Amino acid sequence: MKLVWLRRDLRIEDNRALCSAIESEQPVMALYIATPETWQRHGLAPIQADLIKRRLVTLQTDLATINVPLYYAQVDTYQQAAQLVAEIAKSNSLDGVYFNKEYEFDEQNRDARLQELLVHAGIAAHSFDDKCALQPGSVLNKQGHYFKVFTPFKRAYLTRFYQQPISVIRPQPIGEVAQLHGEQAQLFSDNSSFDYPTESSATYPVDTSSIINQLRDFVAHRSERYSDLRDIPSIEGTSRLSPYLAIGALSVRQCMARLHDQHPKPLPPGREMWMSELIWREFYQHLIYFESKLSKGKCFLEWGDRLSWRNSSADIDAWKKGQTGYPIVDAAMRQLNHTGWMHNRLRMVVASFLIKDLHVDWHVGERYFMSKLVDGDYAANNGGWQWCASTGCDGQPYFRIFNPVSQGERFDPDGEFVCQWIPELAAVPRKFIHQPWKWCKAKELSYPPPIVDHKTEREITLSLYKEAKGNVDGA
Ligand SMILES: Cc1cc2nc3c(=O)[nH]c(=O)nc-3n(C[C@H](O)[C@H](O)[C@H](O)COP(=O)(O)OP(=O)(O)OC[C@H]3O[C@@H](n4cnc5c(N)ncnc54)[C@H](O)[C@@H]3O)c2cc1C
């Protein structure tokens, strides 16, 4: 009998660990373990906890079609989870434990502990690289090191990617249904609950056919115009698949395979751009694997740890609530607070505003995002925040500072997105929608004036960054 420990790989299709366990033709069981204390420490968003919980319900049904029962347990921490899996494996005399690797520091430690315990018990541990299409370490520069710049990474990535056609694997049903003995885990049921706060994620469908249809629809009908529309927040110009990629309800290979199945190489520009975004995801996964300091709160560039911050709690509060007086920033933060998702362009704008207009440590924003995002993913979130803080691997140059007014005017010219989230501004003439304080009736609005002056803060940022960088060359 084999056990597959599911974590952020909540699907049966193209799940390497699961498919491999099934190939052995022995009974297979799946196990999911909630770890609320570790989740709390990692700042898992209640909306993502809910998405996971709902996904487990549909996953159980999917697993039943291949005769794999889903078991469930809850402990406090990752280390206890590793211990529990090893105990279950021992007490049930399992032939092997299968799992897909995760590349963050705590996750690597958890899996190393499991391997140790299993080796000690004489039980085989089978781990798989499933999270990326090309695993960390498979895309290296000529010196054999990982890439520190995205463009050459992408070039090398695509060369490798096109050497071998991408394949998506599907599990076949197995004959006998496995049964777990003992009290350590129970069959998953609607009553299985996490001791963790949840917030409704009901607007995100979790059944496999809806997710696959969303992928198909995007690739068939919308990917072509991705490069034109991806920066306009009032339009559904992006795939909105990130929540599913984050919990592994969908694999990146399924996305890439669908893209190439419909449109063989060379991809037309819109589709090529979408592929490129998927490669950014891979870039950050590789980075987190090679640089454990990124999982420990450190900046990629060392001088970044010397930056000094104002960290005003009133400013942080206004930013979180969407009350900064800059409409594009506030609309975006309200979108995040209400839906658990934020448009990519706006993630960059609000992050830049927090860091470079309010002089708040980027870790504050990183943590707030994790606590709210339905698609929270440590590597992508850390990569995104460090990119905006200019302290990251191939980040934005520190002297490039988004102007929140011109970003609004450029990407939401008619204020459509702004008015959707800030009804207080409905009466403002479009000409002033991104700087309502300039409108003659601004005083009548129940909307705050800007909490800072962008021009002034920009100058302060330039000097703070120069001071932190000292004599270090480059951006
Ligand atoms: C400050 C900041 C924080 C972010 N935090 C997260 C996060 O926690 N989780 C997350 O999945 N993405 C994060 N991103 C990246 C990006 O904003 C989201 O992946 C994207 O908005 C998701 O929407 P979509 O699925 O419609 O994306 P699409 O545009 O359709 O892209 C397809 C997929 O590619 C991946 N992707 C796209 N852009 C990026 C990127 N810049 N970096 C890494 N992967 C990317 C995502 O998995 C996405 O679902 C962050 C970006 C920034 C600037």
Side-chain angles (χ1 to χ4, degrees), residues 218 226 230 237-243 245-246 274 277-282 284 341-345 347-348 351 369-370 373 375-378 380-388:
F218 175 77
Y226 181 71
R230 64 192 279 265
T238 66
S239 70
R240 305 285 297 249
L241 288 167
S242 51
L245 284 160
W274 197 58
E277 293 308 309
L278 294 171
I279 300 175
W280 267 107
R281 179 182 180 275
E282 304 265 284
Y284 288 139
W341 187 86
M342 190 193 289
H343 190 277
N344 179 61
R345 164 61 45 187
R347 292 187 204 211
M348 295 192 279
F369 264 36
M370 272 319 257
L373 282 172
D375 66 13
D377 170 271
Y378 189 85
N381 195 41
N382 182 273
W385 276 94
Q386 294 226 43
W387 186 90
C388 296

Side-chain angles (χ1 to χ4, degrees), residues 80 82-93 117-118 184:
Q80 290 171 1
Q83 186 84 34
L84 180 69
V85 172
E87 280 165 17
I88 291 174
K90 269 194 276 179
S91 59
N92 284 270
S93 307
L117 292 168
L118 291 176
Q184 295 128 317

Side-chain angles (χ1 to χ4, degrees), residues 61 89 113 144 155-156 176 190 197 207 236 310-311 367 371 428 432 437:
T61 311
R113 177 73 185 137
R155 216 177 295 126
E176 201 184 327
D190 286 357
D207 61 287
E236 188 104 338
R310 191 189 291 160
N311 285 345
R367 196 154 176 90
S371 75
V428 176
F432 298 113
W437 62 90

